[in-house]
Amino acid sequence: FFMGAEITLSMGGNSDQNTGARWRNMRVTWNCATEIGEARPTLRRLGWGIDAQDWEGGLIAGNLFFKYGNTEVNQVTGISVMGHCSDIDVAGNTVYKIGAPDGSNANSYQALGTAAHGGEMTNILFSHNIIQLPDTDLQVVGRHESLSGVTFDKNKYYSMIDSEWFEYDNVKINMASWVSNTGDTSTAETVAFFDPSRTALTYLDSIGETPTRE
């Protein structure tokens, strides 16, 4: 359980020499992250979920990222896969209500990012993820450079913005154009969660605990 950190988990970043994969057989599963970035210990505006770079084999599955991002925390993402990556499944994750609500997102990776940045992708699958972004103009998927080697399948997308839910090659596009370019079999739909107003503190209160961070 992660609460308030600027970056939930980052593996493979900062020292990429553009020489291929450097992290092998990674597993990031069943984590929960909320209020990411709001503590701002380094005074940056970051609210990042999972940052996977240069992975050779990996699984990012069953994670929950919810309710973070505000006017101060406007560089926000749920999951990003970047660099020289191969054989990675990103499956069954939920990204809910991240991003600043007033349109101030200075965002690079969107909610389910696959930013290549000069890297190469092989056999990357994004499937059965729930990406729901009410009250924010954040895009549901962003992809820089080539789409080669990346498959999107049976995800559920929603964003408050009218049409430009996606980014492909640094151009904002609607879902019809995204599907045409990617072959994505996902759907645009609003998912009804059991208790969407829940926070970590209201949950503590509901089970009789003192609702504080401590």
Side-chain angles (χ1 to χ4, degrees):
F1 180 72
F2 298 86
M3 188 175 185
E6 288 179 329
I7 301 171
T8 306
L9 292 170
S10 178
M11 288 162 287
N14 296 336
S15 59
D16 187 359
Q17 302 301 312
N18 200 28
T19 55
R22 299 170 295 133
W23 292 61
R24 292 178 173 84
N25 300 320
M26 304 301 298
R27 298 290 185 274
V28 181
T29 58
W30 301 111
N31 300 284
C32 179
T34 187
E35 297 185 19
I36 301 303
E38 295 189 20
R40 297 191 67 202
T42 69
L43 301 182
R44 293 180 294 178
R45 299 176 182 271
L46 306 182
W48 291 1
I50 302 298
D51 183 29
Q53 300 190 39
D54 291 350
W55 284 18
E56 184 179 286
L59 176 67
I60 301 173
N63 300 288
L64 170 63
F65 309 91
F66 75 106
K67 292 185 177 176
Y68 58 84
N70 53 39
T71 55
E72 294 297 319
V73 182
N74 58 16
Q75 297 179 41
V76 176
T77 187
I79 300 169
S80 62
V81 177
M82 300 187 291
H84 294 256
C85 289
S86 62
D87 303 316
I88 300 172
D89 285 350
V90 181
N93 302 282
T94 298
V95 180
Y96 174 67
K97 210 168 187 178
I98 67 170
D102 63 350
S104 66
N105 299 288
N107 178 65
S108 298
Y109 308 139
Q110 291 74 36
L112 184 65
T114 58
H117 294 311
E120 300 176 357
M121 300 279 182
T122 305
N123 194 30
I124 309 299
L125 175 63
F126 291 84
S127 68
H128 296 90
N129 300 286
I130 298 174
I131 312 299
Q132 301 285 296
L133 303 173
D135 305 323
T136 177
D137 66 340
L138 207 64
Q139 293 170 289
V140 295
V141 185
R143 172 66 175 162
H144 305 298
E145 302 180 17
S146 172
L147 275 160
S148 176
V150 182
T151 300
F152 298 89
D153 180 50
K154 296 182 177 63
N155 304 293
K156 296 179 180 180
Y157 304 134
Y158 174 75
S159 176
M160 183 188 72
I161 54 178
D162 291 334
S163 61
E164 295 177 337
W165 287 9
F166 304 85
E167 181 187 273
Y168 172 46
D169 199 16
N170 295 312
V171 177
K172 295 179 180 180
I173 59 177
N174 61 24
M175 187 159 181
S177 295
W178 173 259
V179 170
S180 176
N181 279 286
T182 66
D184 192 342
T185 63
S186 304
T187 56
E189 61 180 282
T190 302
V191 175
F193 295 106
F194 175 73
D195 185 5
S197 64
R198 180 186 299 173
T199 68
L201 300 187
T202 63
Y203 171 72
L204 286 172
D205 187 58
S206 74
I207 62 172
E209 298 288 347
T210 303
T212 66
R213 283 175 175 265
E214 291 73 17

